[in-house]
Amino acid sequence: DVKVTQSSRYLVKRTGEKVFLECVQDMDHENMFWYRQDPGLGLRLIYFSYDVKMKEKGDIPEGYSVSREKKERFSLILESASTNQTSMYLCASRSLAGDPSYEQYFGPGTRLTVT
Amino acid sequence: ILNVEQSPQSLHVQEGDSTNFTCSFPSSNFYALHWYRWETAKSPEALFVMTLNGDEKKKGRISATLNTKEGYSYLYIKGSQPEDSATYLCAFMEYGNKLVFGAGTILRVKS
């Protein structure tokens, strides 16, 4: 079974803090993704990584950066947290083996509150 | 910006009712359509990945159809059970591999 884990289920941070959200997958997947989910909106892509040390901006990258030093780990960094970054953050991974239309495997999410 | 729309936004049904939801997506540059089920406090899980026009997929009481020419997919649940309560997400994939998600349909099944 593929497992995607995220470092925290709930996190409360103060405005201006630097925040790290960690994601680890155990299936040697090449692709990894960070999304945020807000009420009434679909999952929106923040950043994704095709492979180690490779990253590309998604649809809403402003205020975020990412790091992928090892294949299994993809970190999302909020350089200076703001209240509008209060959200549910989901990490996902996908294998490139075979058909690239294959499903993504998600972590359980981190609910971040910035006060 | 690609637009993926799901309707209805939420649905409350009685146990045993059958129900269906709609996902509308762009009809050009289609590569795949994904359906995910997201139960509270759990990770979203894939139900179906559909790639061919006219595709029909089934998993137990849940089935889905796909029309890529007109840009829609239906998800059907036959004889809803309380354990079917979840948010159902569809996601459109165009060439280039990124998924664009709809806002989801929240289903609540009352026993």
Side-chain angles (χ1 to χ4, degrees), chain A residues 9 35 37 40-43 45 48 50 57 59 88 90 94 96 99-104 106-108, chain B residues 9 31-32 34 36 38 41-46 49 51 89 93 96-104:
Chain A
R9 293 299 301 269
Y35 296 90
Q37 197 261 343
L41 300 175
L43 298 182
L45 183 63
F48 62 103
Y50 281 121
K57 292 180 181 178
D59 300 318
M88 168 73 86
L90 282 161
R94 181 184 66 191
L96 276 183
D99 188 342
S101 68
Y102 279 172
E103 66 195 77
Q104 292 186 5
F106 285 88
Chain B
Q9 202 168 14
Y31 193 80
H34 293 210
Y36 291 85
W38 190 4
K42 294 186 178 179
S43 308
E45 288 186 343
V49 176
T51 55
L89 299 168
M93 178 188 280
N97 295 335
K98 286 188 290 181
L99 289 178
V100 178
F101 283 84

Side-chain angles (χ1 to χ4, degrees), chain A residues 10-99:
Chain A
Y10 299 94
L11 210 52
V12 179
K13 294 291 181 181
R14 292 194 182 277
T15 302
E17 278 193 80
K18 191 167 185 176
V19 181
F20 294 86
L21 302 183
E22 306 284 344
C23 174
V24 177
Q25 50 95 2
D26 65 359
M27 282 299 291
D28 203 36
H29 285 174
E30 295 86 357
N31 294 176
M32 295 188 75
F33 306 83
W34 274 106
Y35 296 90
R36 66 178 279 178
Q37 197 261 343
D38 299 290
L41 300 175
L43 298 182
R44 292 182 292 164
L45 183 63
I46 304 170
Y47 266 96
F48 62 103
S49 169
Y50 281 121
D51 213 326
V52 179
K53 296 193 188 293
M54 297 174 70
K55 58 187 179 186
E56 279 198 39
K57 292 180 181 178
D59 300 318
I60 50 165
E62 297 79 19
Y64 303 96
S65 61
V66 290
S67 171
R68 191 151 179 222
E69 296 297 316
K70 293 186 178 182
K71 195 172 187 179
E72 67 270 18
R73 188 181 296 270
F74 191 34
S75 303
L76 180 70
I77 303 152
L78 286 65
E79 298 289 343
S80 177
S82 63
T83 54
N84 63 12
Q85 292 178 310
T86 292
S87 187
M88 168 73 86
Y89 290 87
L90 282 161
C91 173
S93 71
R94 181 184 66 191
S95 173
L96 276 183
D99 188 342

